Amino acid sequence: MHQAPATPKAVRRQHDREIVSLAVPAFGALVAEPLFLMADSAIVGHLGTPQLAGLAIASTLLATAVSVFVFLAYATTAAVARRVGAGDLRSAIQQGIDGIWLALLLGAAVVALALPAAPWLVGIFGASDTAAPYAVTYLRVSSLGIPAMLMVLAATGVLRGLQDTRTPLYVAIGGFTANLVLNLGLVYGAGLGIAGSAWGTVIAQFGMAAAYLYVVVRGARRHGASLRPDAAGIRACAQAGAPLLVRTLSLRAVLMIATAVAARLGDADVAAHQVILSLWSLLAFALDSIAIAGQAIIGRYLGADDADGARQVCRRMVQWGVVSGVVLGALLVLARPLFVPLFTGDPAVQDALLPALLVVALSQPISGVVFVLDGVLMGAGDGRYLAGAMLLTLAVFAPVALLVPTLGGGLTALWGAMTLMMTVRMATLWFRARSGRWVVTGATR
């Protein structure tokens, strides 16, 4: 007997189950990352204001350095998922191991640059004479953990490509717990001050990297993949990641321009901007978890030569993005009276904050589509198009944002420019998705 073809409703339910099973643990792992910094801030904050100021500067530098290399996760997810779809698990894990070796090499290079350049980097931020020594100390010690942080990114990409987002969640929870315990013990128990906080974080990061390596090595032995560095494989990983690096740098430039413009609007506006940016980033984690599911699922469908399946799940994920954006936007408006007083009691900051916050809320459905299609195209390995689209977006956004202070626009106008930026991104990604040119099947793109 032939099995009856699945109904459209059954197919949607199957896609929904897959999306939820990957997106929910991914969201948990993403939220665990900022919890590291929050724990460090809470512990170091009790040492004194100069120490907390030093931590703020050093952690900003570290976060920037690591976020630049997020392509290690994205490119690895797509490449591994394709090979999983093609049924070649040995090659999938081999691709992941090449990505981890690339992460180790890049991490070593960043450490070699960061250690001697730490005072200069801190000086660029205009740190005060009291805060600067603490910033340099934290940056130098914490930079030793960068190889581990980059290896975690690459290994996370391997597991996502293998359709496993639960293990990264468990490792993130373990890492956060270890970080908290070590920081308390080293900062106060051992009396190491801010250096103890940095060492605690470094040890936790290497512990996370070791946990990931254990899982990957076990998979490599099971499927006969080599653990040795392969120059050709490492080079291929770097080439696949280069366009995503351009995309990430362009996006960082957008955020830096927005903050620089806000600083020119006045103290109340820049304070309100910082609050909105924090909330915007939190909402982005929720939407990014759907994008991560998209990377893994799309890559697998394309690797399995199922172009129709890839298109169907793309359409379903766009629907998820729109609905998620509407829900998040509504929550932002409804919960406004609860969280705004937590951030600030200054009436001037609140006055600047509220109308701009409404603009952010209204733009969330757009953000939902952007994040989902970003994930779909990453999963398809369409990095070159993503790089070009983000450069175009930056070219549109920069002059509009820079005109805001000149034309007398306030923070609401700046976030209007940010919404324009997201709208341009949505248009470029939607055009690509509709064209179907991203649908390239096979174990490799």
Side-chain angles (χ1 to χ4, degrees):
M1 288 179 64
H2 292 290
Q3 190 173 4
T7 64
K9 192 173 182 179
V11 171
R12 283 199 302 272
R13 279 202 300 266
Q14 179 193 339
H15 291 328
D16 290 346
R17 282 195 297 270
E18 274 196 304
I19 293 164
V20 170
S21 67
L22 290 171
V24 172
F27 176 66
L30 288 169
V31 170
E33 293 174 25
L35 289 178
F36 266 76
L37 179 57
M38 287 175 63
D40 287 1
S41 299
I43 292 167
V44 171
H46 289 287
L47 294 174
T49 301
Q51 288 91 332
L52 186 58
L55 172 67
I57 292 166
S59 62
T60 299
L61 286 164
L62 286 164
T64 301
V66 173
S67 67
V68 163
F69 296 109
V70 75
F71 71 84
L72 289 166
Y74 293 159
T76 305
T77 298
V80 171
R82 271 185 178 271
R83 287 161 174 78
V84 168
D88 189 354
L89 285 176
R90 189 200 69 78
S91 178
I93 294 173
Q94 190 67 61
Q95 179 80 21
I97 289 167
D98 291 337
I100 292 171
W101 276 111
L102 175 63
L104 186 60
L105 292 172
L106 289 172
V110 173
V111 172
L113 292 171
L115 287 175
W120 176 75
L121 291 169
V122 169
I124 290 175
F125 273 72
S128 66
D129 291 341
T130 52
Y134 295 113
V136 171
T137 297
Y138 191 91
L139 183 58
R140 277 186 165 153
V141 175
S142 290
S143 66
L144 298 174
I146 287 177
M149 294 165 78
L150 299 191
M151 288 168 69
V152 164
L153 281 177
T156 301
V158 177
L159 295 182
R160 288 173 182 169
L162 293 169
Q163 318 296 297
D164 176 8
T165 56
R166 290 182 180 274
T167 300
L169 173 60
Y170 299 147
V171 174
I173 292 170
F176 171 73
T177 305
N179 180 61
L180 184 61
V181 172
L182 285 165
N183 277 12
L184 286 169
L186 294 173
V187 172
Y188 298 116
L192 294 179
I194 195 170
S197 176
W199 279 115
T201 301
V202 168
I203 294 167
Q205 286 160 347
F206 272 101
M208 291 171 70
Y212 275 119
L213 287 175
Y214 170 77
V215 174
V216 173
V217 168
R218 189 178 60 183
R221 286 178 175 160
R222 185 184 305 130
H223 296 288
S226 172
L227 298 173
R228 294 179 180 178
D230 175 63
I234 294 170
R235 191 162 53 247
C237 287
Q239 288 169 347
L244 294 180
L245 174 61
V246 173
R247 168 204 165 273
T248 302
L249 288 173
S250 301
L251 186 55
R252 295 297 301 185
V254 164
L255 299 177
M256 287 172 65
I257 289 168
T259 301
V261 169
R264 293 171 61 189
L265 297 175
D267 288 349
D269 280 330
V270 76
H273 174 75
Q274 189 56 40
V275 172
I276 293 174
L277 200 57
S278 300
L279 291 166
W280 191 73
S281 299
L282 180 63
L283 297 176
F285 281 130
L287 297 172
D288 203 26
S289 64
I290 304 173
I292 286 167
Q295 292 172 32
I297 296 169
I298 290 292
R300 195 188 76 231
Y301 271 101
L302 293 176
D305 291 324
D306 188 352
D308 287 339
R311 290 190 185 94
Q312 286 174 8
V313 79
C314 173
R315 284 193 293 271
R316 189 58 179 162
M317 295 195 76
V318 168
Q319 292 167 1
W320 268 80
V322 172
V323 172
S324 299
V326 170
V327 171
L328 290 172
L331 285 174
L332 196 62
V333 173
L334 294 172
R336 188 180 54 189
L338 299 175
F339 63 75
V340 168
L342 296 177
F343 284 103
T344 179
D346 186 336
V349 176
Q350 290 187 358
D351 287 345
L353 181 65
L354 295 177
L357 204 59
L358 186 60
V359 173
V360 173
L362 291 171
S363 70
Q364 285 309 294
I366 296 171
S367 297
V369 175
V370 168
F371 275 87
V372 164
L373 291 180
D374 216 30
V376 165
L377 296 184
M378 282 183 191
D382 205 9
R384 192 165 293 182
Y385 181 84
L386 288 171
M390 198 60 225
L391 284 171
L392 173 64
T393 303
L394 174 60
V396 173
F397 169 77
V400 174
L402 293 171
L403 279 173
V404 167
T406 307
L407 299 177
L411 190 66
T412 305
L414 175 59
W415 277 93
M418 287 288 283
T419 301
L420 171 66
M421 179 271 294
M422 293 301 284
T423 304
V424 173
R425 285 187 74 188
M426 183 178 71
T428 57
L429 298 174
W430 184 264
F431 173 77
R432 186 63 166 183
R434 293 282 293 176
S435 75
R437 292 179 185 174
W438 58 277
V439 183
V440 180
T441 58
T444 57
R445 183 176 170 86

